[in-house]
Amino acid sequence: MEASPALSRIGLAGLAVMGQNLALNVAEKGFPISVYNRTTSKVDETIQRAQDEGQLPLFGHYTPREFVLSIKRPRSVVILVKAGSPVDQTIAALSDHMEPGDCIIDGGNEWYENTERRIQEVSNKGLLYLGMGVSGGEEGARNGPSLMPGGSHQAYSNIQDILEKVAAQVEDGPCVTYIGEGGSGNFVKMVHNGIEYGDMQLISEAYDVLKHVGGLSNDELAEIFAEWNRGELESFLIEITSDIFRVKDDLSDGFLVDKILDKTGMKGTGKWTVQQAAELSVAAPTIAASLDCRYLSGLKEERENAAEVLKEAGLKEEVGSLAKGIDKKRLIDDVRQALYASKICSYAQGMNLLRAKSVEKGWNLNFGELARIWKGGCIIRAVFLDRIKKAYQRNPNLASLVVDPEFAREMVQRQAAWRRVVGLAISAGISTPGMCASLAYFDTYRRARLPANLVQAQRDLFGAHTYERIDRPGSFHTEWKKSAQKINAGVGALN
Ligand SMILES: *[C@@H]1O[C@H](CO)[C@@H](O)[C@H](O)[C@H]1NC(C)=O
C-alpha cells in the first residue's frame, strides 16, 4: 500500500524488529497505523510483513513530514529507537511537523529523567509526551506486551483503547495501566528489569546447587523446572529454563547450555535500579547481588586464574564429598522452597524502591495495579504476581511484602528449607549470593533488635555523633574513652 486511503489512528517510527512487531500488533487489532524509518528498506520490509500476515492496515512513509501528516489529529506517534540521543534526534525530526495537542510516546528503555526533560521540551510546542515501558521482548511486542505508560494523562486517554487491545490479556484485564506522571513509566520499567535480574540470578543459583550438590543431569533439570512450572513458581522464566535444558548442541555433542560461555551481558537498567536504591536509601541486596554477579561473571580470565592459584594454595572442592550423602528428592524440594522465599524478598525490595520513588516524586503509584500488569506479557510474568496484587489490595500501605499475612506465613513455612539450601551451598563452596542476600534481608528486617547499637556507640566514641537510648527520650553523648580508662584503671588496681 503506497499511500493511505484515510488517515491512520496512530504512527510508529523506528522499525527495528521490536518496532515492526509492535506496529503489526496494532494493525492486527484493527487500528490503521502509519510507519516510518529513515532507512527506507525498513519501511518496505514492514509493509511486506503486513501484507504477508493478512493485509493488515499498515501504511509506510518515507519522510517525517509525510508520515506525521498521515496520522489523524490529535496525533499519537510511538517512537522505538535506541535510548539517549537517537530519541532526541527522532523527536526533533518529527515534532517540526506536529501540532499542539499531538503526542510523542517513547517506548524505549529510557532513563526516567530524560523523559522528564523531554516532557518539558516538547511542552514548549504544545506537544504531549509519554514515556512508556514495553516489556516482553520481540515476541511480546508482536503478541501482547506489558505496557507501562507514564506522563501526560490526556495523551494516555487518546490511545487507551489501542493500548488495551495491543497489550497482553490476563483474566483480570489487559496488561496496561496509566502509571503516573513524569518519568514514572520508565522508572517502573527500570525496576521491573531490576527484579528480572534478581529472578534470573536466583534461578541460576537453584540450577548451580541442583547440578553440583544434587548431581542432576540436564534431562533431570528440564523435568524439575517443568514440574516447578506447574506449581507456585509457575512463570515465564521457569518455563524457558526448562526448555533451555532440553536443547542439544548442533555444533558438537551434548547439551547447548553446557557450551555457553559463563559471562553475562547487560544493558544498564539493573545498574540504574541499584543506583536508585542507594540514592533513596532503600535496601535492595538481592538485586544488587545479581548485578555484582554479572560483573564477576565478566571476569572470566581472572576467575580461571583464581581457581588455579587457590587450588595450588590447597583449596579443596568440598562438593564431591557432600554430594555423596545427599537426599536428592529432599534437596530438590528444599531448593524449590528456597527459590520461592528468596523471590518474595527480591520483589519486596523492588516494590519498596518503587514506593520510595513514588513518595519522592508524588507519583501516587498503585502497587496492586503494577503487580497486575506484570502478570502477562513481560519477562517476569508469573502466577505469583497475582498474590502480590492481592497483598496490596488488602493493604495499599503495606510496609513490605514480607509482613503481608499470607506471604509471612509462606516465608515461615519455607524458612527451614531455605536455611538448609543456603547452609549446604556455603559448606559446598557454591556461591548463592542472591539467596543469601534474600535470607539476610529477611533475617535483618524481621529482627526487632539489631547490633546497630554497637555501631552507634562506635560513632559516638570517635565522632561524637551522639546516640538515642531505648529507655528514655533525647540524644546522648558519652566520654567513652575516659569512662573506659577509669574502669581499666580500677581493674588494674584490683589486680
Ligand atoms: C531506522 O533504522 C535504522 C537502522 O535499522 C535505525 O538505526 C534508526 O534508528 C531507525 N529509526 C528511525 C526513526 O529512523
Side-chain angles (χ1 to χ4, degrees), residues 18 109 134-141 144-148 168 175 189 192-200 203 229 233-241 269 294 343 347 373-383 385:
M18 277 286 279
N109 266 332
V134 178
S135 177
E138 295 170 357
E139 208 266 347
S146 177
L147 300 172
M148 295 153 249
C175 292
K189 174 64 188 343
H192 162 285
N193 285 23
I195 290 173
E196 179 184 313
Y197 274 51
D199 276 353
M200 295 168 80
I203 291 173
N229 199 41
L233 285 169
E234 181 182 341
S235 59
F236 172 70
L237 285 170
I238 295 285
E239 181 191 325
I240 63 165
T241 302
T269 43
R294 292 200 181 190
K343 225 169 114 89
Y347 280 66
I373 65 167
W374 290 343
K375 279 173 59 179
C378 64
I379 304 298
I380 65 170
R381 63 183 181 262
V383 162
L385 280 158

Side-chain angles (χ1 to χ4, degrees), residues 13-16 36-42 79-82 86 89-90 94:
L15 298 171
Y36 164 73
N37 199 101
R38 219 173 36 234
T39 313
T40 56
S41 62
K42 292 278 165 197
I79 58 179
L80 267 171
V81 296
K82 268 213 178 97
Q89 287 159 22
T90 309
L94 299 176

Side-chain angles (χ1 to χ4, degrees), residues 177-468:
T177 191
Y178 174 70
I179 302 290
E181 297 199 326
S184 60
N186 296 124
F187 195 90
V188 166
K189 174 64 188 343
M190 175 197 82
V191 174
H192 162 285
N193 285 23
I195 290 173
E196 179 184 313
Y197 274 51
D199 276 353
M200 295 168 80
Q201 175 65 27
L202 292 170
I203 291 173
S204 74
E205 291 173 14
Y207 156 60
D208 206 10
V209 171
L210 290 176
K211 180 182 165 99
H212 289 112
V213 182
L216 268 67
S217 68
N218 287 321
D219 281 328
E220 288 174 306
L221 286 162
E223 267 318 301
I224 295 305
F225 276 85
E227 190 187 309
W228 286 357
N229 199 41
R230 293 188 285 270
E232 64 192 10
L233 285 169
E234 181 182 341
S235 59
F236 172 70
L237 285 170
I238 295 285
E239 181 191 325
I240 63 165
T241 302
S242 171
D243 292 341
I244 286 169
F245 289 127
R246 293 188 201 281
V247 176
K248 298 268 171 24
D249 188 4
D250 57 6
L251 296 178
S252 63
D253 289 343
F255 289 88
L256 183 52
V257 68
D258 297 322
K259 308 288 165 56
I260 296 179
L261 185 67
D262 48 333
K263 255 177 153 176
T264 313
M266 70 198 101
K267 287 190 176 164
T269 43
K271 182 175 93 180
W272 290 345
T273 305
V274 174
Q275 284 173 328
Q276 281 294 301
E279 287 290 341
L280 291 156
S281 306
V282 173
T286 312
I287 301 173
S290 331
L291 183 67
D292 288 341
C293 256
R294 292 200 181 190
Y295 294 148
L296 287 168
S297 81
L299 307 177
K300 176 70 171 171
E301 277 178 30
E302 281 186 45
R303 287 188 287 115
E304 281 172 340
N305 183 50
E308 276 305 309
V309 170
L310 288 158
K311 194 173 167 191
E312 275 165 33
L315 184 83
K316 288 202 185 61
E317 294 280 354
E318 299 294 340
V319 184
S321 54
L322 256 167
K324 268 177 217 141
I326 231 67
D327 175 349
K328 244 188 185 181
K329 251 190 110 184
R330 161 124 173 228
L331 179 71
I332 293 165
D333 198 52
D334 280 356
V335 171
R336 176 182 56 77
Q337 297 187 52
L339 181 52
Y340 186 77
S342 299
K343 225 169 114 89
I344 295 174
C345 285
S346 178
Y347 280 66
Q349 296 159 31
M351 287 309 208
N352 284 6
L353 170 54
L354 286 172
R355 191 187 39 206
K357 196 68 180 182
S358 179
V359 169
E360 183 199 85
K361 303 288 288 183
W363 282 337
N364 208 7
L365 296 179
N366 179 334
F367 307 109
E369 268 295 275
L370 297 185
R372 186 189 67 77
I373 65 167
W374 290 343
K375 279 173 59 179
C378 64
I379 304 298
I380 65 170
R381 63 183 181 262
V383 162
F384 131 107
L385 280 158
D386 192 60
R387 323 268 323 269
I388 297 184
K389 180 194 88 173
K390 290 191 175 120
Y392 282 106
Q393 280 175 344
R394 275 193 289 276
N395 179 6
N397 298 315
L398 191 62
S400 168
L401 284 176
V402 173
V403 294
D404 167 71
E406 277 203 22
F407 282 122
R409 190 170 39 77
E410 290 184 342
M411 313 255 317
V412 172
Q413 284 167 349
R414 285 159 186 74
Q415 66 159 334
W418 196 6
R419 291 180 200 285
R420 279 195 295 272
V421 170
V422 167
L424 198 61
I426 287 174
S427 321
I430 292 182
S431 58
T432 50
M435 287 187 184
C436 284
S438 276
L439 183 56
Y441 179 79
F442 176 70
D443 279 335
T444 307
Y445 187 69
R446 72 171 175 80
R447 287 180 70 203
R449 183 144 172 95
L450 289 172
N453 52 330
L454 181 61
V455 175
Q456 276 304 80
Q458 291 168 333
R459 294 179 68 240
D460 188 53
L461 184 148
F462 66 68
H465 293 296
T466 75
Y467 57 89
E468 292 174 288

